[in-house]
Amino acid sequence: MTYKKKSLKFLTRGYFLEHNGAKYTERRERVYTCMRIPRELERLMIFGIFLCLDAFLYVFTLLPLRTLLAFLRLLTIPCCGLGGSRFLQPAQVCDLLKGLIMVLCYSMMHYVDYAMMYHLIRGQSVIKLYIIYNMLEVADRLFSSFGQDILDALYWTATEPKSRKRAHIGVIPHFFMAVFYVFLHAILIMVQASTLNVAFNSHNKSLLTIMMSNNFVEIKGSVFKKFEKNNLFQMSNSDIKERFTNYVLLLIVCLRNMEQFSWNTDHLLVLLPDVVMVITSEVMVDVVKHAFITKFNDITADVYSEYKASLAFELVSSRQQNAYTDYSDSVARRMGFIPLPLAVLLIRVVMSSVKIQGALSSVCLLLFYLGLITMKVLNSIVILGKSCRYVKEANMEGKLFKRQTAQTSKQTPKKVTSDPPPDSPPKPEESSSETPQSTELKHRATNKDLLEIDRFTICGNRIG
């Protein structure tokens, strides 16, 4: 009799989940978090890509105008007299240096034969090209890590207050170092674009498949590691920069292929499936990677809203009257995106692919330039409005005004001794953020740490 009861109990036994409700509620929340990750991640990615686009368009639109104005100011100095302690303002000096770097690197890129490089890469085996492409990705991160330091050293050496004791090697050596860096980085990106072009034009698409599978290898190297919120923010910035760079590389590949087929629109339809396949694989890898990183490290999907607010805070603060740097430099420091080498390569490809002859072509070029300026202005207005909304939703307006007052007080010598440094947070907030009493305090501490991240590592990430 007891045996029959036990057998029936075995067949009809259920799960008494209500006795461990907290555990299963947490598991359910993890599922909901993974379902929310694609939407929140893509919102961050789209916002970050538009930030990179704004810094990239700045090189083509406002930088030539600013360089021209600075050059005219340099020419009119003998006529107008000194009138002040400086020949040029620091911003004008930086604009002149950027313009000279762009002109010299563009002239040097004419001596690099793109067609010869393409055929040289095409003659290699598939496995060798796969290894070369991985080496190029690592080299690109190394160049981005050291490149911004080279440019910052040049700008500071050219604009710092002069003293008798020199602690640097001089402006001219720094300038040649910057030109050499931008030129080498542009060649590196050209080799990447040529390798991708060979993958697109291969008959069996084996190289393209191997290159796409390389993205899934990235999941293995990052998912099973320990990640904090700051580390995930670093990875998100790196993914934004990588995705935008891939978009520009795909644009270069399409331009080169369309030139080879005399701008036949039918060939563009042949390229579109491969372009969509590459973009889709990149999006899928980012979604899976971030979904499992947040799952294994118990990070909520709301953290991506904090990341958007941090990026928006950088944009809004760079638009203040007392901002230290331009926003294009802020993006370079935050995401590791340096637009100068990529812009030099794109200009080189466009000028070699499109022949400008006659007055009509010059008028079309002028209209295209005016269209780029319009696009830059509209993009800046949209992302500035979005940034103000994100800062307001995150309740970071107080930090914005606090940073502005700290910058103004730092400029006045009387208040320097009494006021704390602008970048160091007050001590009561640090002690309160360390006590794990509520999640709101943790979010505030995380936001504060995110705003202090200003260095670029060899892994394509930022560290505090």
Side-chain angles (χ1 to χ4, degrees), residues 426-463:
K427 293 182 179 179
E429 291 185 2
E430 286 185 354
S431 59
S432 61
S433 62
E434 291 178 358
T435 58
Q437 296 178 357
S438 62
T439 57
E440 295 181 357
L441 296 179
K442 292 182 180 179
H443 291 326
R444 291 177 186 175
T446 304
N447 282 335
K448 180 172 59 180
D449 294 334
L450 293 178
L451 295 177
E452 293 175 356
I453 296 175
D454 193 49
R455 294 293 297 169
F456 188 67
T457 67
I458 60 175
C459 299
N461 302 327
R462 301 281 179 178
I463 61 175

Side-chain angles (χ1 to χ4, degrees), residues 300-319:
T300 62
D302 297 331
V303 72
Y304 293 101
S305 299
E306 300 178 11
Y307 298 161
K308 281 192 300 184
S310 300
L311 295 177
F313 185 88
E314 290 290 334
L315 174 60
V316 176
S317 60
S318 66
R319 295 293 193 267

Side-chain angles (χ1 to χ4, degrees), residues 238-288:
S238 178
D239 291 338
I240 292 171
K241 176 251 181 184
E242 182 181 357
R243 190 179 294 190
F244 182 80
T245 305
N246 288 335
Y247 290 163
V248 179
L249 290 179
L250 290 174
L251 176 62
I252 293 174
V253 169
C254 291
L255 287 175
R256 295 298 301 176
N257 278 275
M258 293 296 291
E259 181 203 1
Q260 296 297 324
F261 287 88
S262 302
W263 299 96
N264 188 5
T265 55
D266 295 334
H267 185 67
L268 182 62
L269 298 178
V270 177
L271 290 174
L272 280 180
D274 295 334
V275 172
V276 173
M277 185 170 57
V278 171
I279 295 176
T280 304
S281 66
E282 188 75 24
V283 173
M284 289 176 56
V285 167
D286 289 339
V287 168
V288 173

Side-chain angles (χ1 to χ4, degrees), residues 75 95 121 154 163 175 179 182 234 299 311 333 400 402:
L75 293 179
D95 293 335
I121 294 174
L154 171 64
S163 59
F175 177 74
V179 172
V182 174
Q234 299 160 11
I299 301 176
L311 295 177
R333 292 181 181 89
L400 184 65
K402 186 185 297 183

Side-chain angles (χ1 to χ4, degrees), residues 133-143 458:
Y133 192 77
N134 289 334
M135 293 172 59
L136 291 174
E137 286 187 347
V138 176
D140 179 58
R141 295 181 179 182
L142 291 173
F143 271 71
I458 60 175

